Amino acid sequence: MKKQHLKLVIISIFSIAIIAILYFSLFKGQIFAQPQIGATKPPIEMSTTIKALNDAYQNAANAVIESVVNIRVKFKQDRKGKTFNLFPFDEDDPFFKEWQEFFKRFHDEGESDVTAAGSGVFITSDGFIVTNNHVVENADEIRIMTFDRKEFKAKIIGTDKWTDLAVIKVDGEGFKPVHFANSDEIKVGEIVIAVGNPLGLSSTVTSGIISATGRGGLNLIRPEDGSRANLAIENFIQTDAPINPGNSGGGLFNLNGSLVGINTAIATRTGTYIGYGFAIPSNLVKRVASEIIKKGKFERAYLGVYIKTVDQTFAKALKMKEVKGAIINQIEKGSPAEKAGLQVEDVILEVDGKKIESSSDLQLEIAKRLPGDVVELTILRGKEQIKKKVKLETRDSSIAEKTDSEDFEEPKPGEPTNIEKLGLVVTPLDDKIKSEFNVNNGVFIKNVTKRSLIYDRGLSPGGVIVKVDDKEINSVKELKKLIDSKKPGDAVLFKIKYKDATSLVAVEIPE
């Protein structure tokens, strides 16, 4: 009996165990298991084409990120009475005004030094780096950091203000130089990536397309020494790849990982990216950087013409069938253009067979050449197309300085003129101003660049400059000529008449 009872107990236990196992097997998902988080597979399988494009982005980014560096620069805050501009702009132009406010975030006004950031790219394995001139110009100290966070002290090898390019150098070997694309072959719509260090965020990659090529006449390259802006070479690649402060000097690459251009500036109303960025074409970068490495400077080939892009009105007036080319509106005396027999109103259509669509195209083609090179120009003169061979020469920097005031035409009353060397915007007097200020001569101060040397010395807008160095000023042209005649370091004494007072301001001409 006991054995039967034991059997029953064993069978009961075994049955209960089986029932428990079956129960928990059936209902365990409801009692113990965690709910399924997310779907078990993506809603769309990536197509082969999309995966290939995604891989192309990744491969390009990973291939070039080692070639891009973070540049940190230090300036004395009182150096020339100026602080560093992260991108070239006119702070009196509303289009770029917010840059100055943005820049305040990068330094403490109470400190003696100002630090700022930019980017650069290795162009040789032994440490030569190309960046923007405005990133390193007048820097007291330059340091770079590579993608793997190694830091190096850098020195300036040479700069060129007309292209806004500079070459710096760090000691070392084994750096990864970029491969240069042929920027003449890039197409609108081509996919590109911008690599740099925007807003202090190192090794940042953004993407977009080539929006346009040959963008000129933007007046983005503005040398700080007051030189003529129209001597600058502006032939930008436009892109919608997001570019922000700190990207300046970084690389714009195609999906082969080849350098298309050096990012230089953005069009903005906010101080940050709103859709348009501009890069210096790689062919020009290579040409300028090579010359700087060899000679310490870029010897620019010089044609000696002042030009404008042929627009529809020009084409109509000249009875041209197509709207293209660069029209000559002035020829410098003794220049290669004059020696070759070029004339005002000639329209330059080609350089060595390369079509010229705009004035910036002509600037770029001449900039690619060396002094001493002979170029063949195809010119439309009247109704006839002719060929002219011109031997290019080296630009004499004194020409730019001399023509700045001599070629200047007096503006009309109320028409502003920027005296860039000092940071002044002035206009001729009209009868109303003469009456309000009780003066017979002078120029009206419309604006003064904040934090410029002359601003810090106490000169403010809303007055009339009546004398400079005890010489009466009767026109804007006189003022420009007098300022242009001064050398860096010369002291100038201004006498300013305000409505309620007369003020004297002495200032040194910056370098």
Side-chain angles (χ1 to χ4, degrees), residues 160-446:
D160 180 60
K161 61 187 177 183
W162 303 117
T163 54
D164 195 24
L165 289 170
V167 175
I168 61 176
K169 175 79 167 62
V170 297
D171 292 333
E173 294 287 343
F175 300 110
K176 186 175 180 180
V178 295
H179 174 263
F180 283 83
N182 182 353
S183 55
D184 288 345
E185 296 178 354
I186 64 172
K187 305 295 183 185
V188 173
E190 186 174 343
I191 295 173
V192 288
I193 59 174
V195 185
N197 305 280
L199 308 174
L201 304 171
S202 61
S203 301
T204 295
V205 180
T206 57
S207 69
I209 62 170
I210 299 295
S211 305
T213 59
R215 286 293 195 217
L218 302 176
N219 205 17
L220 294 178
I221 299 179
R222 298 167 180 254
E224 294 187 355
D225 60 3
S227 303
R228 292 180 68 139
N230 63 3
L231 294 177
I233 300 172
E234 289 196 344
N235 190 285
F236 293 114
I237 298 167
Q238 181 180 321
T239 179
D240 67 349
I243 295 171
N244 279 294
N247 272 115
S248 195
L252 188 69
F253 299 90
N254 61 23
L255 293 190
N256 286 334
S258 298
L259 184 75
V260 169
I262 293 295
N263 299 318
T264 297
I266 64 175
T268 179
R269 296 185 188 277
T270 65
T272 52
Y273 168 78
I274 61 168
Y276 302 107
F278 302 97
I280 302 167
S282 58
N283 286 1
L284 181 59
V285 173
K286 190 174 184 178
R287 162 85 172 87
V288 174
S290 298
E291 284 291 297
I292 289 176
I293 290 172
K294 284 190 289 187
K295 302 177 181 178
K297 62 181 180 179
F298 173 50
E299 290 189 345
R300 180 180 174 187
Y302 165 59
L303 182 59
V305 294
Y306 293 91
I307 51 178
K308 291 183 178 179
T309 297
V310 173
D311 58 15
Q312 188 171 355
T313 304
F314 269 123
K316 187 175 181 180
L318 296 169
K319 296 180 173 55
M320 295 174 60
K321 294 179 180 179
E322 296 180 280
V323 182
K324 64 178 182 179
I327 186 169
I328 299 174
N329 67 344
Q330 184 180 338
I331 298 175
E332 291 186 351
K333 291 182 179 179
S335 67
E338 185 184 61
K339 294 173 185 176
L342 271 63
Q343 299 177 10
V344 172
E345 294 187 21
D346 281 350
V347 177
I348 300 176
L349 301 174
E350 294 180 3
V351 176
D352 290 336
K354 170 89 178 200
K355 292 186 183 300
I356 301 299
E357 300 291 339
S358 65
S359 59
S360 58
D361 284 350
L362 179 60
Q363 284 183 315
L364 182 62
E365 287 306 311
I366 298 302
K368 291 178 187 176
R369 271 68 177 180
L370 293 168
D373 285 352
V374 176
V375 294
E376 183 177 71
L377 306 181
T378 302
I379 293 169
L380 180 65
R381 181 176 293 172
K383 295 181 179 180
E384 183 183 3
Q385 273 197 20
I386 61 175
K387 305 278 189 181
K388 287 283 186 180
K389 289 190 176 180
V390 184
K391 184 177 182 179
L392 303 175
E393 299 176 6
T394 302
R395 168 168 286 283
D396 182 355
S397 61
S398 65
I399 292 175
E401 295 167 3
K402 182 180 72 173
T403 58
D404 189 40
S405 56
E406 291 182 3
D407 293 342
F408 179 77
E409 294 183 6
E410 183 68 17
K412 297 176 182 178
E415 191 175 302
T417 297
N418 194 351
I419 311 294
E420 293 175 290
K421 191 178 289 188
L422 294 176
L424 286 174
V425 178
V426 297
T427 70
L429 302 183
D430 56 21
D431 292 338
K432 182 181 178 182
I433 293 176
K434 288 180 180 179
S435 175
E436 287 180 356
F437 288 84
N438 192 26
V439 295
N440 295 316
N441 67 282
V443 297
F444 181 70
I445 307 168
K446 185 174 182 180

Side-chain angles (χ1 to χ4, degrees), residues 129-174:
I129 297 166
V130 69
T131 183
N132 285 136
N133 174 58
H134 76 262
V135 169
V136 298
E137 186 177 25
N138 300 323
D140 294 293
E141 181 180 306
I142 305 171
R143 301 190 73 84
I144 72 111
M145 185 169 67
T146 56
F147 82 106
D148 54 359
R149 307 191 70 79
K150 293 179 181 177
E151 292 193 19
F152 300 84
K153 190 172 182 179
K155 63 180 179 180
I156 295 177
I157 301 300
T159 64
D160 180 60
K161 61 187 177 183
W162 303 117
T163 54
D164 195 24
L165 289 170
V167 175
I168 61 176
K169 175 79 167 62
V170 297
D171 292 333
E173 294 287 343

Side-chain angles (χ1 to χ4, degrees), residues 22-220:
L22 290 172
Y23 176 82
F24 286 116
S25 297
L26 291 172
F27 298 102
K28 67 177 181 178
Q30 297 178 21
I31 298 175
F32 295 105
Q34 292 294 327
Q36 174 71 38
I37 303 298
T40 57
K41 64 178 183 178
I44 299 173
E45 291 294 332
M46 187 183 294
S47 69
T48 303
T49 302
I50 297 300
K51 186 179 185 308
L53 179 61
N54 190 57
D55 290 345
Y57 274 108
Q58 291 181 19
N59 293 338
N62 291 330
V64 303
I65 206 162
E66 294 181 38
S67 302
V68 181
V69 301
N70 187 348
I71 299 177
R72 301 289 296 181
V73 289
K74 185 180 289 187
F75 304 85
K76 296 297 182 185
Q77 189 168 346
D78 60 352
R79 187 181 180 95
K80 302 183 187 178
K82 289 184 277 193
T83 56
F84 173 73
N85 291 332
L86 205 58
F87 281 80
F89 70 100
D90 179 358
E91 65 179 67
D92 297 318
D93 183 346
F95 196 59
F96 294 95
K97 195 171 183 62
E98 294 298 325
W99 280 115
Q100 201 77 346
E101 293 303 315
F102 181 87
F103 173 67
K104 290 179 183 177
R105 305 174 200 172
F106 282 83
H107 67 89
D108 184 344
E109 292 284 355
E111 295 180 355
S112 59
D113 291 335
V114 177
T115 59
S119 303
V121 297
F122 281 114
I123 54 175
T124 70
S125 61
D126 59 346
F128 284 99
I129 297 166
V130 69
T131 183
N132 285 136
N133 174 58
H134 76 262
V135 169
V136 298
E137 186 177 25
N138 300 323
D140 294 293
E141 181 180 306
I142 305 171
R143 301 190 73 84
I144 72 111
M145 185 169 67
T146 56
F147 82 106
D148 54 359
R149 307 191 70 79
K150 293 179 181 177
E151 292 193 19
F152 300 84
K153 190 172 182 179
K155 63 180 179 180
I156 295 177
I157 301 300
T159 64
D160 180 60
K161 61 187 177 183
W162 303 117
T163 54
D164 195 24
L165 289 170
V167 175
I168 61 176
K169 175 79 167 62
V170 297
D171 292 333
E173 294 287 343
F175 300 110
K176 186 175 180 180
V178 295
H179 174 263
F180 283 83
N182 182 353
S183 55
D184 288 345
E185 296 178 354
I186 64 172
K187 305 295 183 185
V188 173
E190 186 174 343
I191 295 173
V192 288
I193 59 174
V195 185
N197 305 280
L199 308 174
L201 304 171
S202 61
S203 301
T204 295
V205 180
T206 57
S207 69
I209 62 170
I210 299 295
S211 305
T213 59
R215 286 293 195 217
L218 302 176
N219 205 17
L220 294 178

